[in-house]
Amino acid sequence: MALITIGSFVFFTALVGLLTYRLTRKDDHESSIGYFLAGRRLTGGYIAGSLMLTNLSTEQLVGLNGAAFTDGISVMAWEVLAGLSLVAMGLFFLPRYLKGGIATIPELLEDRFDKTTRLITSLIFLVAYTCILLPILLYTGAVGLSGILDVQSLLGIGSEQTILWVVVWMVGIIGSIYAIFGGLRTVAVSDTINGFGLFAGGVLITFLGLQAVSGGEGWLEGWRILRESNPEKFNSIGSAKQSVPFSTLFTGVIIINLFYWCTNQQIIQRALGASSLAEGQRGVMVASVLKLLAPIILVIPGIIAFHLFAADGIHQDQAYGALVREVLPGWMRGFFAAVVVGAILSSFNSALNSTATLFSLGIYKAQLNPNASQAQVIRSGKICGTVLAVTAMSTAPLLYGQDSIFGYLQKMNALYFIPIFSVVIIGLTTRRVPAAAASTALILGCVLIALGYFVPSFAGLLKPIGDFHFVGGVFLLLIVMMLAWGAITPRSTPYEQQYTGDVDLTPWRWAKPMAAMIVVIVLFVYAYFADFSILSQ
C-alpha cells in the first residue's frame, strides 16, 4: 500500500510538471513584462484558476478546516466574504490598476504619491512575505502532506519535527524552481492544472466523509446526521468566544479580506497580467463564484472530522489529514497528496514570484540601479527569490507548536495588510492627500499594530476589544489622519491617473449582473445558517 501511495504521488506530481513545461516552454522569460506579468496575456480562465489555487493552499485546507473543527461553520466568513471582496476587485480596483499599467502595488503608490512611499511599501511587503507568509505556507504544507501520506510511518522517522524539516525543504526546492526559473505564466498554468485536481479531490473527500458519517447509507443521510448530531457547528453567526465573532465581520475581518483580494501583491499579480479589462473581470468574477463553493472543501470536512475523531483527542490542525487517511484508498491518497503539493507549490511559488517582482522592480530597478537592463532586473529577481526561499525553508519548521496556524496567519497578516490597504484606499479615492501623509500612515500603522500584538502592557489593554476590532480601529485612525493631513496641507496639484494604453479597458458586459448575483447569494447563505441567539450567551 505504501508503494502504491508513493508511486501515484510521484506520477501525478511529475505529470503536472511535464504539462506545465509543455505549455510554457516557448514563453517570454527574458523581459520584465514576460517574466513578472506573463506578457499581459493571461485570459479569464487562467486568472480564475490561478487566483483560486494561489489562495486554496494548505493554510486553508489544514488551517481553515482546523478552525471549523473547533468553531464550526462560522469560520466560512473568510471564504464567503471573499466573494464580496472579489466583486470589489473586479468593479473598482482592477480598472484603476490596469489603467495605470502597473506591475506592483508599490508602483501604483509611487505614481499617486512618491518614490519614498513606494520604497516603504516594497520593504513592508518583502519583510512580511519573508517572515510571515512564506514560512507559514511551507509549514502548513508540510503538516498537511505529512498527515495525508503518513510520512512518519512511510519513512520510519519517529520525530514529527524531523519530518517537518524534510517535507519543508522538498516542497520549498520544487516551488522555487517553478517561481525562480519559470516566471508568472508558468506559475499560473501549473496553478490551473492543479486547481482542477484539488477541487475535484476536495469535493470527493467531503462526499466520502459524509458517507463515513452515515455508515455507508449515503451522503445525504450523512449530512442529516452531521447537522442533527452537531447543531452548534452549523451557525453562521460566530460567538464572542470563537475565532470569528459576528461583529468582527464589519471591522477587521472585512478589511483584511478586502486587502487580501484587492491589494495583496501575491494575489492580484494574476489579474495585473490580464490581456484586457474584460478578461481580468471575467477571471475575477468566476473566482468569486468559486469562493462561494469553497466551504464545501474548506469548512465542511473540518466539521466531519470533529464528528468522527473528536473523541480521539487530535489537534485541530491534524483534523484534515486524519480525514483524508480515513476515507481515501492508498492510490487515491497519493493522487490527492500530489494535488496538495501542487496547492502548496502554487501559494509558495506565487508568493516567491511576487516577492521577486517587488524587489526587482521596486527596489533594485527603482532605487539601486535605475539604468539596469532587462536581463539584470530578472537576474536580481532570481537571486532575491533564491535567498528568500532558503530563508523561508530554514524558518518554517520553527512554527511547530502553534495552537491554530490559521488564526496565527490572519493575526500576523494584519501587521501589514491594514497600513498598506489604508494608503491604497486614500490613493485611489482622493486627489489632494500628500505623500508625507501616506508614508507616515504606513509606518504608524505597522508600529501601532506591533505594539498591540507584542508589548504586554498594550496587549493587556486591548484584550477586551479583540484583535479584529483593534485592527479595524487602527485602519479608521489612519484614514482619518490622512484625510485631515490632506485638508490642512494638501498637495499643490490634484492627482490625475494617466491611461498607459497597455490593455483595452472595455469592461466585461456580465461583470455587474454577476456581481449582483454574488451579493444576493452571500446574504442568503448567512441568513440560512444564522442563529442570532448565540450572541446573547
Side-chain angles (χ1 to χ4, degrees), residues 79-97:
E79 298 304 306
V80 176
L81 291 184
L84 299 182
S85 298
L86 281 164
V87 166
M89 172 62 174
L91 298 185
F92 177 77
F93 290 90
L94 187 59
R96 289 160 176 79
Y97 292 160

Side-chain angles (χ1 to χ4, degrees), residues 17-37:
L18 178 61
L19 289 174
T20 302
Y21 170 74
R22 295 278 299 175
L23 290 170
T24 63
R25 68 187 188 279
K26 295 182 180 179
D27 286 355
D28 171 20
H29 295 156
E30 302 303 322
S31 69
S32 295
I33 294 298
Y35 184 78
F36 295 118
L37 288 181

Side-chain angles (χ1 to χ4, degrees), residues 476-523:
L476 181 60
L477 173 65
L478 297 178
I479 292 290
V480 171
M481 183 271 290
M482 285 186 282
L483 289 175
W485 197 319
I488 297 170
T489 56
R491 56 182 283 168
S492 56
T493 57
Y495 168 74
E496 287 288 345
Q497 187 182 32
Q498 301 300 313
Y499 175 40
T500 62
D502 289 327
V503 298
D504 177 15
L505 293 183
T506 304
W508 186 42
R509 62 173 181 165
W510 295 107
K512 290 183 178 179
M514 280 195 70
M517 178 191 72
I518 290 162
V519 171
V520 170
I521 292 173
V522 169
L523 295 175

